[in-house]
């Protein structure tokens, strides 16, 4: 994975695509893997000032962790109306493909 430059990151954090914008906010401001964002981001767990989760890859080493929610992420979360218990109702592959398509449309392969 190549890191995004600040231009692409800024574009994604401000884009009109609600799904991409929310996913990029979650990935950027929590520094969690896409699988953890997809599988563990429940609306009820993200409405306060922290997110508590057990990362899949490091659960044996670190167990449960608590991440403070950045003010920009809290603002983004407030823009969305939950449609079910999970934030993302799609597979990790589909979520990843949508983010990759956004990057490709902005000149990144």
């Amino acid at each position: 994975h190549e890191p995004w430059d600040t231009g692409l990151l800024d574009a994604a954090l401000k884009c009109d695509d609600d799904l991409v914008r929310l996913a990029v906010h979650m990935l950027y401001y929590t520094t969690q893997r896409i699988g953890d964002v997809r599988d563990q981001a429940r609306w009820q767990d993200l409405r306060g000032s922290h997110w508590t989760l057990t990362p899949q890859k490091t659960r044996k080493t670190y167990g449960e962790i608590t991440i403070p929610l950045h003010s920009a992420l809290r603002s983004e979360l407030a823009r969305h109306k939950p449609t079910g218990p999970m934030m993302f109702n799609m597979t990790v592959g589909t979520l990843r493909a949508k983010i990759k398509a956004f990057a490709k449309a902005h000149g990144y392969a």
Side-chain angles (χ1 to χ4, degrees):
H1 301 285
E2 292 296 319
W4 285 10
D5 67 25
T6 56
L8 180 58
L9 176 61
D10 288 343
L13 291 171
K14 297 173 184 170
C15 76
D16 292 332
D17 185 318
D18 289 344
L19 177 73
V20 169
R21 191 180 63 246
L22 178 59
V24 172
H25 269 80
M26 285 294 294
L27 293 165
Y28 180 67
Y29 288 111
T30 68
T31 69
Q32 294 305 294
R33 292 174 180 86
I34 195 167
D36 291 322
V37 166
R38 164 35 192 108
D39 295 340
Q40 296 194 49
R42 289 180 289 277
W43 285 106
Q44 67 186 30
D45 299 335
L46 289 155
R47 286 294 176 186
S49 62
H50 293 82
W51 179 29
T52 300
L53 72 149
T54 304
Q56 298 166 356
K57 191 170 183 178
T58 60
R59 72 176 140 242
K60 290 182 182 177
T61 305
Y62 299 107
E64 187 176 87
I65 62 171
T66 299
I67 301 169
L69 299 180
H70 188 278
S71 60
L73 177 54
R74 287 195 314 265
S75 293
E76 180 61 28
L77 292 169
R79 295 177 67 172
H80 297 269
K81 181 179 179 181
T83 58
M86 302 304 292
M87 184 175 292
F88 300 102
N89 298 313
M90 62 192 64
T91 67
V92 171
T94 300
L95 184 57
R96 182 178 284 115
K98 289 183 179 291
I99 294 169
K100 281 185 170 185
F102 175 85
K104 185 175 183 180
H106 285 78
Y108 296 83

